[in-house]
């Protein structure tokens, strides 16, 4: 069974109350539940994590090597700032899918740049919680083909 790490970055623990006009009322716990349902339907093992700390996220990415087969990452605001997260993702040599709840390209110009994108096989943004589920479907297909 393939194993996926979903890694969430800063402020995503506040989903549900944080800027509901942008992110909706879905909580991170709701997203985790939806991801677990989809993962079990697709026959994927799932680890779901969140941290507000860049270094902790980097440690989790390093620890994924040899344990998980792919990473789905919503790096929150670190998406737009973190060369270190980019380097960590490239270093572990696992397929990465970048996800965002909002369409970062339709928001403020400072959100248009992603340091994660060059380390990822693809990016899904703008579909709310569905962005995560689409990433799971895409990875399931990819991992099935490469098995
Ligand atoms: C986000 C978009 C980022 O620009 C923002 O900093 C977030 C959430 C999203 O999922 O839409 O924290 O990654």
């Amino acid at each position: 069974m393939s194993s996926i790490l979903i890694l969430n970055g800063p402020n995503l623990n506040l989903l549900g109350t944080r800027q509901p006009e942008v992110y909706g009322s879905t909580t991170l716990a709701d997203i985790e539940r939806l991801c677990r349902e989809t993962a079990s339907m697709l026959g994927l093992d799932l680890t779901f994590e969140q941290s507000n700390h860049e270094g902790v996220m980097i440690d989790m990415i390093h620890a994924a090597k040899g344990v998980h087969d792919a990473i789905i990452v919503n790096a929150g605001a670190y998406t737009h700032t973190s060369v270190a997260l980019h380097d960590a993702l490239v270093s572990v040599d696992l397929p990465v899918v970048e996800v965002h709840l909002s369409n970062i390209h339709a928001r403020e110009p400072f959100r248009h740049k992603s340091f994660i994108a060059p380390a990822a096989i693809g990016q899904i943004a703008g579909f709310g919680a569905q962005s995560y589920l689409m990433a799971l479907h895409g990875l399931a297909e990819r991992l099935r083909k490469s098995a």
Side-chain angles (χ1 to χ4, degrees):
M1 185 185 270
S2 294
S3 174
I4 311 283
L5 170 66
I6 298 186
L7 182 54
N8 293 281
N11 302 309
L12 293 169
N13 55 312
L14 299 181
L15 285 176
T17 55
R18 171 194 184 199
Q19 292 185 279
E21 69 286 3
V22 178
Y23 299 115
S25 57
T26 309
T27 65
L28 195 62
D30 293 332
I31 294 175
E32 177 171 1
R33 186 178 41 75
L34 291 167
C35 286
R36 290 201 179 284
E37 282 170 16
T38 298
S40 83
M41 196 182 78
L42 293 168
L44 298 169
D45 181 67
L46 184 67
T47 300
F48 194 95
E49 301 281 5
Q50 188 273 332
S51 175
N52 291 322
H53 305 279
E54 192 175 15
V56 172
M57 292 179 71
I58 290 168
D59 288 342
M60 287 177 184
I61 292 166
H62 292 175
K65 196 171 173 62
V67 175
H68 300 293
D69 299 295
I71 302 174
I72 295 171
V73 59
N74 182 351
Y78 289 145
T79 304
H80 319 298
T81 62
S82 183
V83 177
L85 275 177
H86 165 276
D87 288 356
L89 289 167
V90 167
S91 301
V92 294
D93 199 26
L94 290 171
V96 172
V97 178
E98 175 184 3
V99 297
H100 298 282
L101 297 151
S102 63
N103 179 1
I104 56 174
H105 303 287
R107 298 182 63 194
E108 304 96 318
F110 64 82
R111 295 186 203 276
H112 297 178
K113 164 82 185 166
S114 169
F115 284 95
I116 308 299
I121 57 174
Q123 182 193 69
I124 304 169
F127 293 91
Q130 288 291 325
S131 293
Y132 289 75
L133 308 184
M134 292 159 89
L136 282 168
H137 279 276
L139 276 175
E141 183 66 8
R142 178 103 174 187
L143 293 169
R144 195 184 58 74
K145 278 193 182 140
S146 64

